[in-house]
Amino acid sequence: MDVSGLVWAGTLVALIAVLLVDLLIIGRRPHEPSVRESSLWVAFYVGLALLFGAGVWLTSGASAAGQFYTGWLTEYSLSVDNLFVFVIIMARFGVPRQYQQKVLLVGIVLALLMRGAFIAAGAALISQFSWVFYIFGAFLIYTAVNLARQGEPDEDEFSENMLIRWSRKALPISKTYDGAKLTTHEGGRRLFTPLLIVMIAIGTTDLIFALDSIPAIFGITQEPYLVFTANVFALMGLRQLYFLLGGLLNRLIYLSYGLAVVLGFIGVKLVLEALADNNLPFINGGEHVGWAPHIPIWLSLLVIVGTLGVATVASLIKSARDRRRELADARR
């Protein structure tokens, strides 16, 4: 794709405008969004992504649009999985529901900044060293295996990382929240509120998730513009999706296994592409591997949609059966 600087600038301006609207909404009226409000916002952002993909189709063809939709769906699914950890962090630090929007928005902004940096670095690496696909592919396969083994995280498994522990010790932190403020006065001293620690926890979690999501999207497309916009649209509406799903997150018990399959598939796809373009002297004498197939984008989209669909349906069926069993046991 030949994306002009003007198009890049317009995309960034539109992104900043959306973030400013979110900031104004939260700043004026911190609250817990209703199901209706969250549904409308999520539908709005999903509609924007579909509309953007249609625009890519008209301007750059079906292949580019397919890459965008596949990348967006993959990143969106990974973002939903991130919500499990966000729920644990919010519960662990006892963040009042009406102030969780601010924390989530800060987390989304941090995720956009970190992913933007990783995308730039990843694009530079790929343009110079095609063998980096071996590393990306191996990392995704390793991540997929770990995800399949561990399943969804729970609150007991959450442990504070080094930065959080250091912040607790080095910074003067109050024991209670003061609305949505990051600082408060206590005994004549200015202290940071626990909300700052929560934002640090969300930010460092976003960094870890970016390490998974960026190699995954580069396994779908190597176009920096599509990689960036797919990530942007996957993160947009994540705040509202957090409140919309609510208790439903606990019912998606097989989502991690579905995502493990998706990440494993993309990892294998990356390794096959690296073999097809191989120039490493210790693999096949530095020659391309002729038997390595190219997996078309339509097949990637079919595998991803099918896997996530099966995981979601199986999760809901299993959750419904468990609830019926619990009700039956309670009546005895």
Side-chain angles (χ1 to χ4, degrees), residues 284-315:
N284 198 37
E287 299 295 327
H288 303 328
V289 178
W291 58 262
H294 171 71
I295 300 177
I297 196 65
W298 65 264
L299 181 57
S300 298
L301 182 59
L302 184 63
V303 169
I304 292 169
V305 172
T307 301
L308 295 175
V310 169
T312 300
V313 171
S315 295

Side-chain angles (χ1 to χ4, degrees), residues 225-299:
Y225 183 75
L226 294 181
V227 172
F228 178 73
T229 51
N231 269 276
V232 168
F233 281 107
L235 291 171
M236 289 300 181
L238 190 61
R239 174 172 61 84
Q240 292 85 354
L241 188 64
Y242 171 88
F243 291 98
L244 176 62
L245 292 180
L248 183 62
L249 284 173
N250 295 326
R251 297 172 59 189
L252 300 177
I253 54 179
Y254 294 133
L255 179 61
S256 280
Y257 300 107
L259 289 173
V261 172
V262 169
L263 291 177
F265 169 77
I266 297 174
V268 171
K269 181 177 182 291
L270 278 172
V271 172
L272 290 175
E273 290 185 7
L275 289 171
D277 298 328
N278 177 65
N279 56 15
L280 294 179
F282 53 85
I283 297 179
N284 198 37
E287 299 295 327
H288 303 328
V289 178
W291 58 262
H294 171 71
I295 300 177
I297 196 65
W298 65 264
L299 181 57

Side-chain angles (χ1 to χ4, degrees), residues 189-220:
R189 298 176 58 204
R190 178 172 287 276
L191 305 176
F192 292 103
T193 68
L195 203 61
L196 177 65
I197 303 298
V198 178
M199 289 183 178
I200 292 173
I202 293 289
T204 51
T205 300
D206 282 333
L207 176 61
I208 296 171
F209 287 140
L211 295 176
D212 296 341
S213 64
I214 298 306
I217 187 66
F218 274 114
I220 303 298

Side-chain angles (χ1 to χ4, degrees), residues 88-95 155 158-177 189 191-201:
I88 291 173
I89 291 174
M90 297 293 190
R92 185 68 172 267
F93 291 96
V95 183
E155 190 170 352
F158 176 79
S159 59
E160 297 182 359
N161 58 49
M162 185 172 60
L163 182 58
I164 298 175
R165 292 195 298 271
W166 176 86
S167 301
R168 282 186 179 277
K169 293 178 180 178
L171 300 176
I173 306 294
S174 66
K175 295 183 179 180
T176 59
Y177 292 94
R189 298 176 58 204
L191 305 176
F192 292 103
T193 68
L195 203 61
L196 177 65
I197 303 298
V198 178
M199 289 183 178
I200 292 173

